[in-house]
Amino acid sequence: MRFLVTGTAGFIGYHLAQRLLDAGHFVTGFDGMTAYYDVRLKEARHALLARSNGFKAIIGQLEDMAALEKAAEVAQPEVIVHLAAQAGVRHSIEQPRSFADSNLTGSFNMLEIARAVKPAHLLMASTSSVYGANEIMPFQEADRTDHPLTFYAATKKAMEAMSHSYAHLFGVPTTCFRFFTVYGPWGRPDMALFKFVDAISKEQPIDVYGEGRLQRDFTYVSDLVEGIVRLIDARPAIGSPVAAEGVSDTLSPVAPWRVVNVGGGEPVGLLPFIETIERCLGKPAIRNMLPMQPGDVPATWADHRLLEALTGYRPRTSVEEGVRAFVDWYVDYTKAA
């Protein structure tokens, strides 16, 4: 099949594109190569994808409609997976305009592309951050998401709403999936695992926010990609909700649209997570205990029953396995750098 995947030089986009290429599909990747973090890491990901004859890269910003139209013309996509975004919960407090440009204007442009191309399925990346201040866990897709704590979360909630309106008006089957703290090899340097491993390796202190009481539903990147790949064939259709006991389907009554959690369903405390890193590195962390940061939530926890009902799959990689895989990659990557 022919895919247009945005964000292929990014962490998740790289892994998804590689999985699709390995399966024999054709992937046109679109990425802005922004300098939010070290561009050399993004270039290295794209270089690996470029080893496949099935991969073509288009460099451009989501705000540049002409560049997106070029990518769509090259790809002739049967499926579009929109992963590119300005990420970083705390960065959205400092630089909100970049989130408006990328996540609002950029997502609108992608919806216009889908309107013109009419792919068999449009899949768009959202986030567990949309659950905001919700206290009842695990988070179910049908829970209200009216209290985002950061502008990043607000832009993703807006993207979900915009995509529903387009699915209703123009009939493009659309699935929004909410990620839960994705980690693994080729991860982003601004994320906790990369920062912790890097600092501990160099015997530098790590900042432990919330006095270590935070919990996160860590999701290994290969599990996430497996969920996305399986959701490709789970196209939403009006009037065809999931019929599974205990599952609340989010299928819209007026559009071929739904939202799905992709998370492991097993929250892990921040301190046990750090202890896992220490075991994998064979080094102790120097911990700088700090209060909660603005925009942080105490815990995340995915209800994965809808994903399992739709695809027969749920993430299963343990944090111990996932952290060890990341540490092995980090050691190799920093040696080669």
Side-chain angles (χ1 to χ4, degrees):
M1 294 179 67
R2 298 183 306 277
F3 287 82
L4 172 59
V5 180
T6 67
T8 45
F11 170 38
I12 297 168
Y14 158 71
H15 281 279
L16 175 64
Q18 190 65 69
R19 169 67 185 275
L20 294 172
L21 292 167
D22 289 345
H25 300 296
F26 299 93
V27 177
T28 299
F30 184 88
D31 203 286
M33 293 291 183
T34 58
Y36 170 58
Y37 60 84
D38 192 346
V39 174
R40 290 174 297 178
L41 182 57
K42 300 181 180 184
E43 291 171 342
R45 296 182 186 124
H46 253 194
L48 289 175
L49 296 176
R51 294 178 179 178
S52 170
N53 292 331
F55 181 71
K56 296 178 182 177
I58 305 293
I59 305 302
Q61 302 297 319
L62 291 172
E63 306 93 284
D64 184 348
M65 192 63 180
L68 282 173
E69 289 171 341
K70 177 184 176 183
E73 183 178 352
V74 169
Q76 295 293 301
E78 297 164 88
V79 175
I80 296 175
V81 186
H82 177 45
L83 297 169
Q86 177 58 62
V89 170
R90 280 176 281 282
H91 187 61
S92 71
I93 299 172
E94 301 162 1
Q95 299 289 336
R97 184 169 296 280
S98 65
F99 288 76
D101 292 341
S102 179
N103 301 359
L104 296 178
T105 302
S107 294
F108 164 72
N109 286 345
M110 285 307 304
L111 291 169
E112 282 288 279
I113 291 293
R115 174 185 177 182
V117 170
K118 294 201 175 343
H121 199 175
L122 168 65
L123 298 100
M124 307 186 81
S126 187
T127 172
S128 61
S129 294
V130 300
Y131 291 109
N134 289 10
E135 295 180 352
I136 298 174
M137 296 189 193
F139 295 147
Q140 295 187 28
E141 294 90 343
D143 291 346
R144 293 181 65 176
T145 55
D146 298 330
H147 306 110
L149 299 184
T150 64
F151 190 59
Y152 168 67
T155 62
K156 286 299 189 175
K157 176 177 169 61
M159 183 212 72
E160 291 181 5
M162 291 191 295
S163 70
H164 179 271
S165 70
Y166 264 62
H168 167 66
L169 293 169
F170 308 115
V172 176
T174 302
T175 299
C176 295
F177 37 85
R178 293 172 179 165
F179 298 163
F180 282 73
T181 315
V182 187
Y183 73 104
W186 294 99
R188 296 197 335 247
D190 65 309
M191 298 185 74
L193 178 57
F194 200 123
K195 291 165 73 173
F196 287 169
V197 169
D198 190 56
I200 296 170
S201 298
K202 297 171 181 175
E203 299 181 356
Q204 297 173 350
I206 62 171
D207 290 337
V208 183
Y209 291 100
E211 304 292 342
R213 292 188 296 271
L214 305 180
Q215 288 187 315
R216 291 292 179 266
D217 195 342
F218 292 99
T219 307
Y220 189 61
V221 65
S222 295
D223 287 339
L224 176 74
V225 167
E226 182 68 29
I228 295 171
V229 168
R230 293 192 183 212
L231 282 171
I232 289 168
D233 292 329
R235 289 189 295 274
I238 299 175
S240 300
V242 168
E245 187 176 350
V247 175
S248 297
D249 196 357
T250 54
L251 179 68
S252 168
V254 294
W257 181 98
R258 69 161 50 93
V259 61
V260 184
N261 288 337
V262 184
E266 295 182 5
V268 174
L270 184 55
L271 292 181
F273 185 66
I274 293 168
E275 290 164 4
T276 302
I277 298 170
E278 291 173 323
R279 286 195 299 274
C280 292
L281 282 172
K283 284 187 174 185
I286 305 168
R287 306 179 191 193
N288 181 27
M289 308 301 280
L290 297 168
M292 289 268 284
Q293 295 186 102
D296 263 349
V297 296
T300 62
W301 181 2
D303 186 320
H304 53 71
R305 288 177 294 180
L306 179 55
L307 174 68
E308 196 164 6
L310 289 167
T311 67
Y313 179 77
R314 57 169 289 191
R316 300 188 184 278
T317 303
S318 70
V319 166
E320 189 84 32
E321 293 174 86
V323 168
R324 188 164 297 281
F326 176 85
V327 168
D328 290 345
W329 168 81
Y330 170 87
V331 171
D332 290 340
Y333 180 77
T334 51
K335 280 181 181 177

